[in-house]
Amino acid sequence: AQSVTQPDIHITVSEGASLELRCNYSYGATPYLFWYVQSPGQGLQLLLKYFSGDTLVQGIKGFEAEFKRSQSSFNLRKPSVHWSDAAEYFCAVGAYGAAGNKLTFGGGTRVLVKP
Amino acid sequence: GAGVSQSPRYKVAKRGQDVALRCDPISGHVSLFWYQQALGQGPEFLTYFQNEAQLDKSGLPSDRFFAERPEGSVSTLKIQRTQQEDSAVYLCASSPGQVFSGANVLTFGAGSRLTVL
C-alpha cells in the first residue's frame, strides 16, 4: 500500500524568502505524485502533478517540484514567498488498481509567512 | 456545474443523530471520491465510485457510514448514530475518467464540516 510522509508539520518563512517543503512517498510502482494547497475553510487546490517525463514540474502560483526516484521524494519549492502563500500544503501519491483510483495524502505542512 | 459543490457546509449534530452530506460533482465526471479530514490532519480516503458503482469502500471507518450514488451523479454520505470521533471535514472530489492521467485529476469541493456534540 502506498504512503506519504511530510516530515515538517510547520514551517515559518519570511516574505520574499525561498520555501521548500519535503515529501517522501512509498509506492511499489511508478508513482503519480501531486501537491495540493488548502487555505482555511477551503477545499484542496491542485498546485502541480507528476506523471512521467521531466522530473522537474512547474505548477501554478510560481511553485515547482522535483521528482527524485532514488530518494523517493517529491519536494515542493518556491523561490520567493508571498504573504498569500500562507496555507497548508499536502503531498499525495496516486495509484490505479482493480478498484480504481486512490489518492493517499501526507499529514500536511502548515506554512506561516512573516512580513 | 463549474466545480464540486457540497452541502451543507457546516453541520452540528448531537451524538446519536443521523446526518446526510451531499456532493454534486462536476457534470459528466465518472469518478467520485469521499475523504475524511480530521482537524490538523491530511485527508483520509473513505470510498470511491465509478459512475453508480461503489468500487472501493475500504476506508469507511464503521458500518455506521454509508455512501451512495444511485444515478451516477450526485452522491450522499450518510453517518448513522454519530459519535464525537466523527467530527471532521468531509471532502468530496470528482474526476473525468477512471485512470490517472495528465487530464484526469481530482477536483475537490470545499467540504462539509461536521461537529458532533
Side-chain angles (χ1 to χ4, degrees), chain A residues 33-35 46-67 74-80, chain B residues 102:
Chain A
L33 296 164
F34 306 81
W35 275 99
L46 180 66
L47 284 176
L48 47 78
K49 58 186 184 290
Y50 170 79
F51 284 86
S52 64
D54 193 347
T55 56
L56 183 64
V57 293
Q58 304 296 321
I60 62 171
K61 304 185 180 186
F63 285 93
E64 67 178 25
E66 186 171 13
F67 170 58
F74 188 56
N75 294 348
L76 181 72
R77 298 193 292 256
K78 184 168 184 176
S80 177

Side-chain angles (χ1 to χ4, degrees), chain B residues 85-112:
Chain B
E85 61 264 28
D86 300 334
S87 295
V89 175
Y90 291 85
L91 295 167
C92 177
S94 69
S95 67
Q98 303 168 24
V99 180
F100 282 122
S101 69
N104 186 39
V105 294
L106 271 65
T107 301
F108 282 83
S112 292

Side-chain angles (χ1 to χ4, degrees), chain B residues 13-27:
Chain B
K14 293 183 179 178
R15 191 160 54 100
Q17 284 184 330
D18 297 348
V19 299
L21 308 176
R22 177 186 169 104
C23 173
D24 277 277
I26 294 174
S27 178

Side-chain angles (χ1 to χ4, degrees), chain A residues 32 34 36 38 41-44 46 49 51 88 90 94-96 98-108, chain B residues 9 31 33 35 37 40-43 45 48 55-56 58 91 97-102 104-106 108-110:
Chain A
Y32 301 123
F34 306 81
Y36 283 85
Q38 186 177 41
Q42 302 296 312
L44 295 160
L46 180 66
K49 58 186 184 290
F51 284 86
E88 187 138 25
F90 294 95
Y96 178 74
N101 296 328
K102 181 180 289 188
L103 265 189
T104 300
F105 287 87
Chain B
R9 287 295 311 278
S31 297
F33 302 79
Y35 281 80
Q37 186 176 21
Q41 306 208 4
F45 172 83
Y48 163 68
L55 297 187
D56 188 346
S58 61
L91 295 167
Q98 303 168 24
V99 180
F100 282 122
S101 69
N104 186 39
V105 294
L106 271 65
F108 282 83

